Amino acid sequence: MKRWLFSAAFVVVLVFAFGMAYLALYRDVAKERCQELGLPFPTVMAHRGASYLAPEETEWAYRLARAAGADFLEADVQRSKDGVLFVLHDDTLERTTNVKTVFPGREKEPVSTFFWEELSRLDAGSWWNQRHPERAKQEFANARLLRVEELVDLALESNPPTGIYLETKSPEHFPDIETDLVKLLSRRGYGAPSRRPELRGKLVFQSFSADSLRKFATLTKDIPRIYLLDEDMVQKQGFGRLLSIAKEVGHGIGPVGYFAYPWHTHRAHAQGLVVHAWTLNQGWQLRLLRFFGIDGAFTDRSELAVPLWGRGKTQSQDELWQKALASRKDTDYSAKKP
Ligand code: G3P
Ligand code: CA
């Protein structure tokens, strides 16, 4: 009996040791592929900006993310009724603006029913101060919704430029939004390596919609495209099928974190796909999934991920805030016209 137990324990230890060694050797296997695409490795995407420190998808969230050293400013692109592209996560304005006060009764309306002039009157920051009093700042009150054009300005202000990682959010609500977006970005030099070589690898498209990524593929074949995956999609279609779609429409997958098991990441890598998991906000999650081989992560805590993954130094929240304030100079986004 004792001998049997000893043998079993030996096998378990052996399998564990081999597993650990394999993962340690395996974790950088897609580095070269990322470099081919112009992506830093491992990549830190500031999810809705530095959204732990400031109201999501506002100028302040993106200034703080840039100061933290995030590789990419992540944003969800939507379109106003009169065709202005801007960034916002939800389908309605209720959660993250004061729409209820400014346009009573319209808080459940889709954002696509609002003109930009209306959207530009909303306060997208005070809700955050109320919800997070310990991190509130008076500058966040009255923060405005941000046009994509302004996000690009912010990204290009730094030297070298910060990347932008743009999601078409509910693209079925915005027919041909991909064309509008590519036109805007082309005007600013993205996708034109001979004219703006410094912008290579500074733009990524992402979507839960394979159709949306297909459209981007016809418009700009060289810009990396990431197919986002959630639990529901994996359950309904199966991981293997989703990998085939990802390979057809893009360059990688963006799985929800708890689906980024090493065997899933391994299968994606075997097909030449990069793996960017969302949304990892705890140190242990960032460490563990990186050990499991992911190539990058969307995180609300870019100020945590950057030093943890050896991509930059640790900075205090106060240091970051001083940098964000200093970077603002005289820019007044609320006064700009589309
Ligand atoms: O874009 C990656 C991840 O952010 C997808 O989730 O809902 O935050 O856009 P969501
Ligand atoms: Ca997103």
Side-chain angles (χ1 to χ4, degrees), residues 228-255:
L228 298 173
L229 309 179
D230 64 18
E231 186 177 6
D232 194 45
M233 291 162 76
V234 175
Q235 274 172 4
K236 281 186 182 145
Q237 300 182 64
F239 191 68
R241 169 74 190 130
L242 292 169
L243 284 187
S244 308
I245 298 173
K247 198 155 168 58
E248 180 222 327
V249 302
H251 306 85
I253 57 167

Side-chain angles (χ1 to χ4, degrees), residues 47-48 57 74-76 89 167 169 206 228:
H47 179 245
R48 311 182 198 175
E57 314 219 11
E74 194 268 345
D76 305 292
H89 178 268
E167 178 180 352
K169 186 58 90 184
Q206 49 161 337
L228 298 173

Side-chain angles (χ1 to χ4, degrees), residues 278-337:
W278 54 277
T279 302
L280 313 185
N281 293 333
Q282 306 290 334
W284 69 266
Q285 295 171 329
L286 288 157
R287 280 180 211 276
L288 183 70
L289 290 198
R290 179 69 198 103
F291 185 64
F292 285 173
I294 62 166
D295 310 307
F298 300 89
T299 175
D300 299 350
R301 305 288 315 267
S302 41
E303 78 285 359
L304 190 68
V306 166
L308 203 145
W309 279 358
R311 299 296 322 286
K313 60 178 183 178
T314 302
Q315 300 180 78
S316 70
Q317 290 181 15
D318 191 53
E319 272 178 283
L320 293 172
W321 179 241
Q322 292 310 321
K323 279 189 183 174
L325 275 176
S327 75
R328 194 167 196 255
K329 296 182 197 145
D330 298 324
T331 315
D332 179 3
Y333 286 106
S334 60
K336 285 194 173 182
K337 295 282 182 292

Side-chain angles (χ1 to χ4, degrees), residues 19 49 54 107 123 150 153 176 184 227 229 254 265 278 283 291 319:
E107 57 271 18
D123 171 354
E150 293 164 338
D153 286 342
D176 229 8
L184 184 158
Y227 188 31
L229 309 179
T265 298
W278 54 277
F291 185 64
E319 272 178 283

